Amino acid sequence: MSSRPQFFHLPNSASCRILDRFSDLPDDAEVEEDENGKISFWPLLKHLLCTPVSSIAQLIDRLQTIAANAETCHDSDYSFLKRFLEQRGEACLLTAIWPKIRDIALALPAYFPDGKLELLQPGHPLHLSRGQIACLVVHQFLCSFSPQRTDDGYQDLGIWFSSEQRHPSAVQMYLEALFTYFESTPEASTLLEDHQVAPKLGHGSVSYELHLGKPVSLEAAKLAKLQVNFLDTHTSNTHNPEVQGEGGGAVVSSNKVIGFGQSATQEEIFVGVAPEAYPVVLVAPHLADDTVITVSGARAMVDMKGQRRNIEWTIRPTPPSEDFAGWKKSWRGGRLVFMDALEMDMLDHSENDGLPDLSHGNIDREFNKAANGFSSYKGNSVFTGLWGCGAFGGDPGVKLLILWLAAGVADVELNLMLGPGEHDLGRKLEEVVRGCQDLTATDVLELLSRVPRGLRGEGILGWVANEASGARHDTC
């Protein structure tokens, strides 16, 4: 997997130069071509944004022109977006939403005078004002960032625009979240004024941070408090600060290249419903074995329930933006912890070696990853589902024990969110916790290392619970 460059250049960067493919600039525009016939992109983008549009068809054409000039046009087919905009109504779009999008986009040089963002580094979090975040999200919608990625990640929202969508319901949900965000955001002038007058530390409304972990020891760790939540359906409500509480965070079972997508994985949902989380893809390096990324303060715009193809959602109430002081106080987001798990089915492993999850190296890797994630935000609780299972192929019994031990190292309460078909795992883990109450964390890890190779899932948890109870009786 290729690495990422140190900086992500914005459209107002001096290095962002393009061909004026369609001769859109007026003849009297004062721009200079270089030896390759390229011009600075920003004057052209400003011209395209400021030229009026009077219909959805014209707006779609304008968006396509911007993307083509930025050379980010994934597909000239914008049919899904066009249909979505028509459903929302042309009058409101053209008189209120588009002018706000345009004005926020035009403020880019005021928010980012250097024209670039630096890739996240450990110990150097990126704190952004609500106005800065809105500006970046708007440009992701416009697809106005020149292509700067050679990996599997996305930098703009063009993947949601074409008629060919493999999960149309999910993309509909993401676009509804995005436009609810646009509608609920204060006017461009208000956001910019707040950005300019607020103290620098006050800009930290949304934060992106890369955390570098170190190998941890269980010697001094206590076994964590466990709360198992048996759900009738999977939901996204752990995204919200009202659920997390002041010191909570929600685990996102992520890929090494984090971000949004076109389907309904947990990662795609948790990023897709919170537009203020989108810009993290511009600055996030690929996750390594010893790193996690946190996103703090990004507000989810919808509440989702369901799984895979069967999802439904409701728009979350938003505070009125006319009273900016009240809006700013009420506009809050939770904390997301992006942790990538090992892809067990991709590991070089023989069936004769037993379950790959149980190899000492893999246990150590997953344990250190989870402990880093749970410690990253100095909180008191963490909310997670079956991290690293599903598409990653992890065994849920092993993963639950690792998560429980990691929560003890981080000294946080483990809030386990289990949906349909997963409840028996939760009950078995509760048996483990009861059986291990007189044991140390090191004792539990030792039990995990002795699990018979033929066991899986609930069988692993049952075996550990029985062994722990036997160990307790032996010491009585």
Side-chain angles (χ1 to χ4, degrees), residues 63-85:
L63 294 175
Q64 291 173 323
T65 301
I66 290 171
N69 277 293
E71 299 180 344
T72 62
C73 191
H74 306 283
D75 192 331
S76 59
D77 170 17
Y78 275 42
S79 297
F80 196 95
L81 176 64
K82 184 173 185 288
R83 185 166 61 251
F84 172 82
L85 296 179

Side-chain angles (χ1 to χ4, degrees), residues 176-188:
E176 287 196 16
L178 176 65
F179 273 78
T180 300
Y181 171 71
F182 288 154
E183 291 171 350
S184 307
T185 298
E187 294 300 322

Side-chain angles (χ1 to χ4, degrees), residues 395-397 421-425 428 456-463:
D395 181 89
E422 301 168 350
H423 293 184
D424 287 345
L425 286 163
K428 285 293 183 183
R456 301 289 187 274
E458 295 166 30
I460 291 174
L461 295 174
W463 184 89

Side-chain angles (χ1 to χ4, degrees), residues 395-449:
D395 181 89
V398 177
K399 282 295 193 292
L400 288 177
L401 289 169
I402 288 174
L403 291 170
W404 183 45
L405 290 172
V409 168
D411 193 23
V412 297
E413 179 182 75
L414 180 63
N415 291 271
L416 195 58
M417 318 301 289
L418 297 179
E422 301 168 350
H423 293 184
D424 287 345
L425 286 163
R427 296 187 185 96
K428 285 293 183 183
L429 184 60
E430 289 177 328
E431 290 181 20
V432 171
V433 173
R434 288 192 295 270
C436 293
Q437 58 185 339
D438 293 330
L439 303 185
T440 66
T442 304
D443 293 333
V444 177
L445 182 61
E446 193 272 334
L447 287 175
L448 181 58
S449 70

Side-chain angles (χ1 to χ4, degrees), residues 154 159-160 164-167 170-171 174 260-264 268:
Y154 301 112
I159 56 171
W160 297 339
E164 295 297 323
Q165 297 293 338
R166 57 177 178 264
H167 197 326
V171 173
Y174 302 146
F260 44 79
Q262 295 173 288
S263 297
E268 289 171 325

Side-chain angles (χ1 to χ4, degrees), residues 16 32 48 75 89 145 156 210 244 268 271 273 277 298 305 320 350 355 358 392 416:
C16 188
E32 293 184 6
L48 292 171
D75 192 331
F145 296 134
D156 59 52
L210 178 71
Q244 293 181 8
E268 289 171 325
V271 179
V273 302
K305 63 180 181 179
S350 168
L355 196 64
L358 290 171
F392 289 90
L416 195 58

Side-chain angles (χ1 to χ4, degrees), residues 109-360:
Y111 286 123
F112 303 99
D114 293 338
K116 62 185 179 182
L117 299 169
E118 188 170 5
L119 207 66
L120 293 177
Q121 300 289 335
H124 298 279
L126 178 61
H127 301 299
L128 297 169
S129 68
R130 296 291 178 188
Q132 286 178 306
I133 285 288
C135 189
L136 294 174
V137 173
V138 159
H139 280 279
Q140 287 179 297
F141 169 68
L142 296 172
C143 300
S144 54
F145 296 134
S146 60
Q148 296 170 60
R149 302 195 65 155
T150 57
D151 53 24
D152 297 330
Y154 301 112
Q155 66 181 37
D156 59 52
L157 309 182
I159 56 171
W160 297 339
F161 296 170
S162 70
S163 58
E164 295 297 323
Q165 297 293 338
R166 57 177 178 264
H167 197 326
S169 294
V171 173
Q172 179 80 16
M173 177 174 69
Y174 302 146
L175 287 175
E176 287 196 16
L178 176 65
F179 273 78
T180 300
Y181 171 71
F182 288 154
E183 291 171 350
S184 307
T185 298
E187 294 300 322
S189 58
T190 303
L191 288 172
L192 184 57
E193 180 182 359
D194 173 67
H195 172 80
Q196 292 171 333
V197 302
K200 187 173 183 181
L201 291 177
H203 283 187
S205 298
V206 179
S207 300
Y208 306 145
E209 188 166 2
L210 178 71
H211 304 267
L212 179 64
K214 298 177 181 178
V216 294
S217 171
L218 283 169
E219 290 298 328
K222 297 180 180 179
L223 293 174
K225 182 180 178 181
L226 172 71
Q227 177 65 48
V228 181
N229 299 273
F230 299 100
L231 308 176
D232 294 331
T233 183
H234 291 277
T235 75
S236 64
N237 69 351
T238 57
H239 204 304
N240 304 327
E242 298 84 359
V243 174
Q244 293 181 8
E246 195 64 33
V251 170
V252 178
S253 189
S254 71
N255 293 289
K256 291 184 181 298
V257 181
I258 72 169
F260 44 79
Q262 295 173 288
S263 297
T265 66
Q266 190 229 0
E267 178 181 14
E268 289 171 325
I269 289 169
F270 271 59
V271 179
V273 302
E276 290 175 321
Y278 299 172
V280 73
V281 304
L282 308 178
V283 295
H286 302 155
L287 289 177
D289 285 345
D290 57 357
T291 58
V292 300
I293 289 174
T294 56
V295 172
S296 303
R299 181 187 177 93
M301 304 309 300
V302 306
D303 285 325
M304 186 279 319
K305 63 180 181 179
Q307 195 177 26
R308 301 185 182 92
R309 293 285 170 181
N310 301 311
I311 60 171
E312 55 186 69
W313 62 92
T314 55
I315 303 297
R316 298 188 67 218
T318 56
S321 59
E322 294 79 12
D323 172 19
F324 181 72
W327 178 90
K328 189 174 181 181
K329 184 177 180 180
S330 301
W331 190 272
R332 298 170 57 238
R335 181 183 290 108
L336 305 179
V337 184
F338 290 83
M339 300 169 16
D340 63 303
L342 290 172
E343 296 182 66
M344 292 298 173
D345 56 349
M346 301 294 289
L347 299 179
D348 185 13
H349 193 82
S350 168
E351 286 190 16
N352 295 328
D353 297 331
L355 196 64
D357 307 63
L358 290 171
S359 77
H360 293 302

